[in-house]
Amino acid sequence: MSNSVFSVISRFVEEYRSSTPNKLKVIDAYLLYILLTGVFQFLYCVLVGTFPFNSFLSGFIACVGSFILAVCLRIQINPQNKRDFLTVSPERAFADFLFAHTVLHLVVVNFVG
Amino acid sequence: MYPFEGLFSLLVLSMVLETQALTPTHHLTTTDVARLQAVLSQPFTDLKSAYYSVVGLSKLGILVADADETCQFIKSNLDPSSVESLFYAAEASQALSGCEIPVSNDTRDLLLATVSEDSTASQIHQSVSALSSLGLPLASQEVVSALKARISKEDNVLTIILALQTASRLSQQAELGDILEEIEDLAARLDDLSGVYLQFEEGLETTALFVSAAYALSDHVDMEPPLKEDQVIQLVNSIFSKKSWDSLSEAFSVASAAESLSNNRFHVPVIVSAQGPAAISHSQPFLRLQVTDVLCQPLSSASVLVESASTSSSKSAILSQAPFTLRDEVFELNFMASQPASGYYQFSVAIAGDSRFVANHVELKVKVSTRVAINNMDLSVVDKDQSTGPKTTRVEYPTKAKAPFMADSHQNFAMAFQLVDETTGVELTPHQTFVRLHNQKTGQEVVFVAEPDSKNLYKFELDTTERKTEFDSISGTYALYLMMGDATLENPILWNVADVVLKFLDEEAPSTIQAKTLYTPKPEIQHLFREPEKKPPTVVSNAFTALVLSPFLLLLILWVKLGANISNFTLSPSTFLFHIGHAAMLGLMYVYWTHLNMFQTMKYLAIIGSLTFLAGNRMLAQKAVKRYTYTQKARLTAHKAGPQTKKLSKEPLAPISKNLFFLGATE
């Protein structure tokens, strides 16, 4: 059982390394960073306590929000999805990403206290 | 005309008898009238104040002290070229006896010329009044047409009031019908405040001037003004609710309103007030009423009648149609002659005698008080098991029982008495009948209520065992008092009836009663401030901060490994502007966190954001163009090279776009 799982994983990793374009890998690295940041924040909350609860919430929401926006960007840029996003050029996707991030930052900074 | 009027007023009276009419809630008392007179008697400084004082005092029926001096003052301050000055002088001299203002032809011409459509209503009023007071002829019809033109041009309240006043000085042959109709229109403009007051929004002075003008004109043409009784009373309430006046003109307007309401031919409001408190007793058997007009002048021609007098609770009539007798300008009635029981009575009083009387039905509440006597005060000590008969001692008021009564846990102490009216012998039940026991030594007192039984016999029983908590089980000699009082009793009673020695079982060690520490300083309250929440130790917080920031290093390492770079950075002003703007926005976020509030941030964000947007748009457009041309070239070369290089078209954006996105990925 574990053998098949392991082989699936290694196959997946191989596939990923070869066929994903570099720009998507850059975004994936960014996604991993956001994920880890969120996980560590959550860990702190679970271990130590929720003392400034609003700060925890705003930090966590920032991570979640950024993750979602980066995923959207990745989807819109992926050339394999070009048919689904005929009206959205990569530059347009990036501009949307920046604008949505500005709004997210405004909300997060307001709430962090 | 008179029979018609008589019928009219009869109709009004009959309506009054059926409906519950208003009675004035505010009126001038004699002190108020004296104050009004004092205000109007102040020494005058100029012609206008002289006019107000002299004419105002004449309305109150008072003559000015030095008529000659005043006349001289008027003559010396007169300015014959001003209509206003002539008006004040003419009216004031008319009120003084033997004061004549010399009139020249120019004066007369000036006054006649002012009567035209182009002058204001105030000017027309002043000139017509001056002409009339100086005895000069005037053309009434011209005045009427000028007034009508003025009213149609200026529709405000004061203009119409002045028109009414002016019309009352014209000859009776003139066509005053249209102006007379204005009274009704003006009355409709009055504001009704909670059914009690009726006044113009312009204020007290305007309302008072309206009343005097309306009645002046109505008297002049001998037609009843279209004001209902209730409206008249409401006007009385409004005008006479203010007892001190801000200005001489206000005092003058109140005086002239008071005069017109006491002296006109149609409506005379009647003010009925009891002299002193409306309370009767055997020593004071007469109910005295003062019946006056609004100027506090007694209405001697009136006849006052009690229509019905009934008790407040049972509504059975004690008196019906009993007349008051007039004595020294006060109407009195001997109510005690009907031998009423003590209590409160509702009187319905009617004032007749003149068809002009308004509000001549009054409801009064009269109190009849009496003296109380205590009969058959019996004190006894009864054994609980009733083995021995009760020992009863009778005590007469106001003496005290000679021997003290002893009561311990086996005995009850009882008291019985009767309260009767001293004169009639009728049994009474006053509101307060208390029995008070006062410990001489400790100062403690306990109060009980004595209740009457069905035969109005008061009983009080003290069970020592039952009541020991009230006494704190302290034995000793208690002085027994009977306290009695009521609003209708003239002689409230506090009677030390006897001394009672009480013995309680299970007596605690005689602790001194501490006087209730109500007014001594209480122990200080220490305020407990809200504890700040427990914060984790700084080491832990710092450790976790480092942990949370660590993935950033990982990110940089990964990016370097992937080969992300900024080699495609185009050097154009829009890119610089974009990056600077973007950095500024991030900096603004930090400043927002530390210093600003949302509104300021939005303001700055709007500015920086729009710049960044424009620059970014330009920059991305340039990138897009570059990408497009690159892909076109790639396709062209691929096409030229043949089908092998087809693979290139799959990833046309690879070299450029990853750099492009690195620029964005630094979020």
Side-chain angles (χ1 to χ4, degrees):
Chain A
M1 194 62 167
S2 59
N3 236 1
S4 54
V5 169
F6 187 67
S7 58
V8 164
I9 293 175
S10 55
R11 176 89 200 285
F12 169 72
V13 169
E14 209 41 60
E15 194 69 46
Y16 178 78
R17 273 215 189 114
S18 53
S19 61
T20 346
N22 226 9
K23 61 176 168 56
L24 292 185
K25 284 197 190 144
V26 164
I27 297 182
D28 289 339
Y30 173 67
L31 284 173
L32 181 67
Y33 151 65
I34 295 285
L35 185 75
L36 285 177
T37 314
V39 163
F40 289 146
Q41 284 187 340
F42 191 72
L43 203 68
Y44 171 82
C45 202
V46 164
L47 288 179
V48 184
T50 63
F51 166 52
F53 193 53
N54 58 320
S55 313
F56 159 66
L57 276 184
S58 91
F60 197 66
I61 296 284
C63 293
V64 170
S66 310
F67 191 85
I68 292 169
L69 289 175
V71 165
C72 291
L73 182 67
R74 191 184 190 280
I75 290 175
Q76 286 179 331
I77 287 175
N78 200 344
Q80 288 168 336
N81 297 339
K82 199 157 181 184
R83 250 171 281 127
D84 296 327
F85 296 104
L86 284 171
T87 54
V88 182
S89 67
E91 288 78 24
R92 173 64 199 276
F94 180 60
D96 286 341
F97 174 74
L98 281 183
F99 176 69
H101 252 287
T102 312
V103 174
L104 180 69
H105 276 181
L106 208 61
V107 171
V108 160
V109 171
N110 186 31
F111 202 54
V112 78
Chain B
M1 223 189 290
Y2 276 95
F4 176 73
E5 193 192 86
L7 196 70
F8 217 87
S9 38
L10 203 70
L11 210 71
V12 171
L13 248 176
S14 58
M15 285 198 306
V16 160
L17 286 169
E18 276 150 7
T19 57
Q20 189 75 352
L22 279 182
T23 50
T25 49
H26 296 277
H27 58 92
L28 294 177
T29 60
T30 35
T31 37
D32 297 327
V33 175
R35 200 182 305 124
L36 186 61
Q37 188 186 329
V39 169
L40 290 170
S41 306
Q42 281 170 349
F44 29 84
T45 51
D46 61 354
L47 195 55
K48 184 169 174 179
S49 49
Y51 157 71
Y52 282 135
S53 296
V54 171
V55 181
L57 285 173
S58 77
K59 300 236 186 225
L60 291 179
I62 297 160
L63 297 170
V64 179
D66 351 296
D68 288 332
E69 216 181 288
T70 319
C71 197
Q72 279 302 106
F73 179 84
I74 294 171
K75 282 190 198 162
S76 53
N77 282 44
L78 168 63
D79 172 16
S81 60
S82 145
V83 174
E84 195 175 339
S85 176
L86 283 164
F87 163 69
Y88 292 139
E91 294 288 296
S93 65
Q94 182 81 341
L96 294 167
S97 59
C99 190
E100 293 279 337
I101 304 279
V103 180
S104 67
N105 276 352
D106 294 328
T107 321
R108 191 192 56 194
D109 291 336
L110 170 67
L111 290 172
L112 285 170
T114 322
V115 178
S116 83
E117 285 179 18
D118 305 314
S119 330
T120 62
S122 155
Q123 284 173 323
I124 300 176
H125 166 244
Q126 284 169 346
S127 51
V128 168
S129 307
L131 283 167
S132 156
S133 297
L134 294 171
L136 297 169
L138 50 85
S140 297
Q141 207 51 44
E142 257 183 55
V143 178
V144 173
S145 48
L147 285 175
K148 278 201 251 191
R150 209 65 234 164
I151 292 174
S152 56
K153 270 191 226 167
E154 285 176 68
D155 198 27
N156 63 16
V157 171
L158 204 54
T159 309
I160 303 178
I161 292 176
L162 289 170
L164 293 173
Q165 272 287 16
T166 318
S168 68
R169 309 296 286 262
L170 301 174
S171 95
Q172 289 179 331
Q173 271 76 41
E175 296 239 337
L176 301 171
D178 292 331
I179 299 187
L180 196 64
E181 279 171 13
E182 296 289 340
I183 299 182
E184 198 164 355
D185 292 340
L186 263 192
R189 281 204 210 174
L190 288 160
D191 294 327
D192 187 329
L193 301 173
S194 55
V196 178
Y197 302 100
L198 202 61
Q199 59 192 52
F200 285 113
E201 61 179 13
E202 283 87 351
L204 173 67
E205 205 174 320
T206 317
T207 316
L209 287 173
F210 164 67
V211 167
S212 40
Y215 281 103
L217 185 58
S218 304
D219 276 354
H220 188 65
V221 300
D222 211 11
M223 280 191 70
E224 187 172 350
L227 292 169
K228 297 199 269 290
E229 253 204 38
D230 281 355
Q231 285 181 309
V232 176
I233 298 301
Q234 284 178 311
L235 284 167
V236 165
N237 284 343
S238 303
I239 297 174
F240 301 117
S241 59
K242 194 170 176 184
K243 305 297 174 83
S244 72
W245 303 277
D246 298 327
S247 62
L248 201 54
S249 59
E250 199 174 41
F252 171 75
S253 66
V254 170
S256 52
E259 192 269 335
S260 44
L261 281 171
S262 10
N263 271 339
N264 68 80
R265 277 192 233 164
F266 304 100
H267 301 143
V268 175
V270 170
I271 314 272
V272 177
S273 50
Q275 197 181 46
I280 303 174
S281 59
H282 284 286
S283 49
Q284 172 72 285
F286 285 98
L287 177 65
R288 294 203 165 87
L289 292 182
Q290 274 182 318
V291 177
T292 64
D293 60 12
V294 290
L295 270 178
C296 279
Q297 287 160 347
L299 294 168
S300 313
S301 65
S303 62
V304 185
L305 193 74
V306 178
E307 287 195 333
S308 70
S310 53
T311 51
S312 302
S313 45
S314 66
K315 307 261 185 282
S316 58
I318 310 279
L319 266 189
S320 193
Q321 310 291 341
F324 278 72
T325 47
L326 177 63
R327 199 165 69 130
D328 289 335
E329 296 183 351
V330 173
F331 287 90
E332 57 180 36
L333 174 74
N334 188 343
F335 188 43
M336 283 313 262
S338 352
Q339 306 210 320
S342 66
Y344 287 93
Y345 290 87
Q346 195 73 6
F347 271 54
S348 178
V349 179
I351 298 112
D354 195 326
S355 55
R356 297 176 301 165
F357 286 157
V358 168
N360 49 356
H361 269 76
V362 185
E363 301 281 315
L364 282 177
K365 198 163 178 184
V366 178
K367 177 170 92 170
V368 176
S369 35
T370 181
R371 295 179 62 86
V372 74
I374 308 179
N375 286 350
N376 310 333
M377 168 65 89
D378 291 324
L379 300 165
S380 50
V381 177
V382 187
D383 259 356
K384 274 203 202 155
D385 45 9
Q386 292 180 352
S387 52
T388 54
K391 295 180 285 250
T392 317
T393 319
R394 172 154 293 193
V395 191
E396 291 295 325
Y397 176 72
T399 56
K400 184 171 159 176
K402 290 188 203 61
F405 292 83
M406 312 277 279
D408 60 14
S409 54
H410 301 297
Q411 287 147 345
N412 284 353
F413 175 76
M415 197 162 88
F417 55 94
Q418 237 188 355
L419 298 172
V420 296
D421 188 330
E422 214 175 57
T423 39
T424 61
V426 170
E427 282 144 4
L428 291 177
T429 49
H431 285 160
Q432 299 169 329
T433 38
F434 301 136
V435 176
R436 171 174 172 250
L437 287 135
H438 181 224
N439 188 328
Q440 315 281 29
K441 268 185 279 189
T442 61
Q444 185 196 21
E445 71 176 20
V446 187
V447 182
F448 300 100
V449 178
E451 308 229 320
D453 63 10
S454 51
K455 284 184 273 202
N456 282 344
L457 186 70
Y458 277 86
K459 282 205 172 72
F460 168 67
E461 246 190 51
L462 178 63
D463 184 344
T464 43
T465 335
E466 215 180 295
R467 300 281 194 193
K468 67 175 183 206
T469 45
E470 266 119 5
F471 288 92
D472 279 341
S473 298
I474 296 176
S475 309
T477 316
Y478 286 83
L480 184 89
Y481 289 88
L482 178 68
M483 291 160 61
M484 198 162 8
D486 189 84
T488 55
L489 280 187
E490 281 197 325
N491 57 337
I493 288 176
L494 177 67
W495 177 23
N496 186 354
V497 183
D499 283 329
V500 180
V501 180
L502 294 173
K503 275 208 177 63
F504 293 96
L505 283 177
D506 323 321
E507 186 180 329
E508 287 124 26
S511 53
T512 47
I513 306 283
Q514 274 159 334
K516 279 210 174 127
T517 51
L518 280 175
Y519 304 110
T520 54
K522 296 254 188 335
E524 193 177 326
I525 305 171
Q526 295 292 87
H527 181 76
L528 213 66
F529 283 100
R530 202 182 88 153
E531 305 276 335
E533 286 201 36
K534 282 233 170 71
K535 281 195 278 208
T538 355
V539 180
V540 177
S541 312
N542 289 343
F544 269 96
T545 314
L547 183 65
V548 164
L549 291 176
S550 62
F552 188 63
L553 289 165
L554 180 68
L555 177 71
L556 290 176
I557 293 168
L558 280 174
W559 273 353
V560 164
K561 264 191 81 181
L562 287 170
N565 51 38
I566 55 168
S567 57
N568 227 16
F569 194 89
T570 52
L571 291 157
S572 82
S574 43
T575 23
F576 277 125
L577 210 60
F578 168 74
H579 282 285
I580 291 168
H582 196 224
M585 280 189 349
L586 293 175
L588 179 67
M589 288 296 139
Y590 175 73
V591 175
Y592 173 33
W593 183 39
T594 48
H595 298 298
L596 304 173
N597 62 33
M598 182 59 107
F599 301 106
Q600 293 165 313
T601 318
M602 291 301 284
K603 191 174 61 176
Y604 295 134
L605 194 68
I607 303 168
I608 302 175
S610 45
L611 282 171
T612 316
F613 171 73
L614 291 170
N617 197 19
R618 194 93 181 275
M619 181 192 76
L620 286 173
Q622 286 171 351
K623 290 275 182 210
V625 164
K626 224 170 158 190
R627 173 174 58 87
Y628 190 65
T629 51
Y630 177 79
T631 50
Q632 289 297 82
K633 273 193 204 152
R635 274 190 222 262
L636 229 55
T637 50
H639 189 75
K640 280 192 193 148
Q644 304 97 284
T645 46
K646 226 184 165 204
K647 247 199 182 169
L648 197 61
S649 61
K650 233 211 241 172
E651 299 189 40
L653 307 170
I656 307 172
S657 54
K658 73 166 185 276
N659 308 326
L660 194 79
F661 289 102
F662 178 79
L663 293 172
T666 47
E667 291 300 312

